[in-house]
Amino acid sequence: LQDLNWTTFSKFSNNLFAFLFEVGKMDLSVGRLYEGHINALLLIDNYGNLKQKERYFKEASDGKLFGVWNTENPKEGLRINVDDISKTYKLKGSKTFCSGALNIDRPIVTAQTENGVQMVVLDLDKEHSLKEDWSQWDPVGMRPSVSCRIDFTAMIIAEDNFLGEANDYYKEPFFSWGAVRFSTVQLGGAQKIANVMLEHLQKIHRSKNPHQQFRIGKIAILMQTAQLWMERAHRIENSIECVIPADQKINFANMMRTLTLDLCEEIILLSEKAVGIQGIMKNHPMERPIRDLRVYLKQAGPDDTLAHIGNYIDKRSIYD
């Protein structure tokens, strides 16, 4: 991850989406971790106070890794309890799918309080009692993202660790817009698969076959579609055209996430047909990125996301 801090970023420093796409093309697990790192810094920029921004941005520039851990089992969800005697805050409960595990120095976790869900920035380089629980992490792909379960029970935190106010994490359109960033990483993975497929066909002198050229052409159109969506996301993010209303921004994020899922699955299918049985051999360069992308695409609530798009269009009674 730290190798990416300058070599890759300097080339795409003016376009976050182009950067995330390139990282996803390199390695989807690294892309997942780096997107989480950026997400955390954006949350700090949005909701942190001046002291927190000065501290955490300095730490990030010094090489500290950040992340966001929100997923949990409802039966053992993370809570913040107040000790009335010592006047301290203690965590109770755990988080699942903690990408990066204890390699992350400053994860932002969400925890339940009497007032709602509170973001907390944890100082894990000072905490040596936490254990990584791998019992719920044994996927076929994205294994290097090391997204294990971590129990934070009895960990003491200070009020200075609180980020923003209760329920800030779910504020829109910031919350939904995060889907645009992870979709971009996934599209980078799709490009990697497409590149490997084409290299394979050229190496065995099959790229001129008309059936294979059909697949190559179809994938080219799909990836051009992906590029157009990423360019549009960049323009919205930076208000290049105009500032769009929050509801339109949320709908765009939902549409891009849905399109990315369909597009990536079609590229996987076309690439597997093009390469055949060799593509699923462990020593083939296409096998791992396909496994990783299939796992990474399993984001929660795809049907709800599509239903939200339909509901949005229905309310407006127009496609625009």
Side-chain angles (χ1 to χ4, degrees):
L1 270 174
Q2 291 171 344
D3 291 341
L4 293 171
N5 282 347
W6 183 249
T7 55
T8 303
F9 184 71
S10 60
K11 187 177 179 182
F12 302 100
S13 58
N14 65 334
N15 190 326
L16 174 61
F17 298 101
F19 172 59
L20 288 173
F21 180 81
E22 289 298 315
V23 179
K25 192 166 67 173
M26 291 166 58
D27 187 284
L28 282 170
S29 290
V30 174
R32 168 68 189 95
L33 296 176
Y34 213 92
E35 190 277 324
H37 175 78
I38 290 173
N39 187 19
L41 294 177
L42 290 172
L43 285 167
I44 291 167
D45 190 40
N46 260 27
Y47 303 115
N49 57 43
L50 181 59
K51 183 179 178 181
Q52 289 174 323
K53 291 180 184 181
E54 290 177 346
R55 175 194 171 183
Y56 294 130
F57 293 160
K58 172 66 166 56
E59 289 185 339
S61 67
D62 290 340
K64 296 290 186 184
L65 295 178
F66 288 68
V68 180
W69 297 340
N70 178 52
T71 307
E72 62 187 18
N73 183 330
K75 294 182 180 180
E76 53 180 30
L78 196 61
R79 291 190 59 85
I80 299 174
N81 294 326
V82 182
D83 190 319
D84 293 327
I85 298 176
S86 62
K87 302 300 181 182
T88 59
Y89 297 95
K90 286 186 178 181
L91 296 178
K92 182 178 181 181
S94 64
K95 288 291 182 181
T96 57
F97 303 145
C98 299
S99 295
L102 296 180
N103 300 294
I104 303 298
D105 304 293
R106 298 287 182 271
I108 295 175
V109 298
T110 51
Q112 188 68 44
T113 68
E114 292 182 354
N115 298 319
V117 176
Q118 177 66 52
M119 289 185 285
V120 183
V121 187
L122 302 181
D123 300 338
L124 291 195
D125 51 4
K126 300 177 183 178
E127 185 64 43
H128 304 292
S129 63
L130 298 177
K131 304 295 181 184
E132 298 172 348
D133 177 3
W134 299 101
S135 63
Q136 299 177 28
W137 181 250
D138 189 24
V140 296
M142 296 291 285
R143 296 180 70 86
S145 70
V146 290
S147 302
C148 64
R149 170 186 174 274
I150 298 177
D151 192 331
F152 299 96
T153 299
M155 183 176 177
I156 298 175
I157 57 174
E159 195 166 356
D160 289 345
N161 295 108
F162 287 19
L163 181 65
E165 304 295 329
N167 301 316
D168 276 352
Y169 180 74
Y170 293 106
K171 279 186 177 178
E172 295 288 11
F174 189 90
F175 178 71
S176 292
W177 191 248
V180 175
R181 293 192 297 273
F182 72 65
S183 294
T184 300
V185 179
Q186 293 167 349
L187 291 170
Q191 183 68 71
K192 170 74 170 183
I193 293 167
N195 291 348
V196 172
M197 180 275 290
L198 182 58
E199 289 168 5
H200 174 92
L201 293 179
Q202 291 174 337
K203 184 178 180 179
I204 64 173
H205 307 292
R206 291 282 292 167
S207 61
K208 305 300 183 187
N209 178 279
H211 301 294
Q212 299 291 23
Q213 290 195 330
F214 168 85
R215 297 184 180 107
I216 294 169
K218 182 67 174 176
I219 289 177
I221 295 170
L222 291 171
M223 289 312 308
Q224 182 60 47
T225 300
Q227 288 292 336
L228 293 172
W229 277 81
M230 288 187 292
E231 289 171 13
R232 174 66 171 155
H234 170 67
R235 297 180 74 83
I236 292 173
E237 174 99 319
N238 295 278
S239 302
I240 293 174
E241 297 171 356
C242 63
V243 178
I244 70 170
D247 63 331
Q248 290 185 33
K249 194 171 184 180
I250 293 168
N251 190 59
F252 178 90
N254 287 336
M255 288 195 296
M256 184 166 173
R257 175 186 163 181
T258 303
L259 173 122
T260 296
L261 173 61
D262 294 343
L263 186 150
C264 288
E265 288 182 338
E266 188 168 1
I267 286 177
I268 289 172
L269 180 62
L270 288 166
S271 298
E272 286 181 328
K273 286 182 176 180
V275 175
I277 192 68
Q278 294 179 61
I280 62 170
M281 297 298 173
K282 289 184 178 180
N283 63 348
H284 196 280
M286 197 174 78
E287 186 266 344
R288 180 183 160 186
I290 283 182
R291 279 192 293 111
D292 287 348
L293 186 55
R294 279 200 167 115
V295 172
Y296 199 177
L297 289 171
K298 301 299 186 289
Q299 299 288 335
D303 294 333
D304 285 341
T305 301
L306 186 55
H308 284 310
I309 298 169
N311 183 54
Y312 177 81
I313 299 300
D314 181 45
K315 285 182 178 180
R316 292 171 65 87
S317 298
I318 188 172
Y319 287 95
D320 57 11

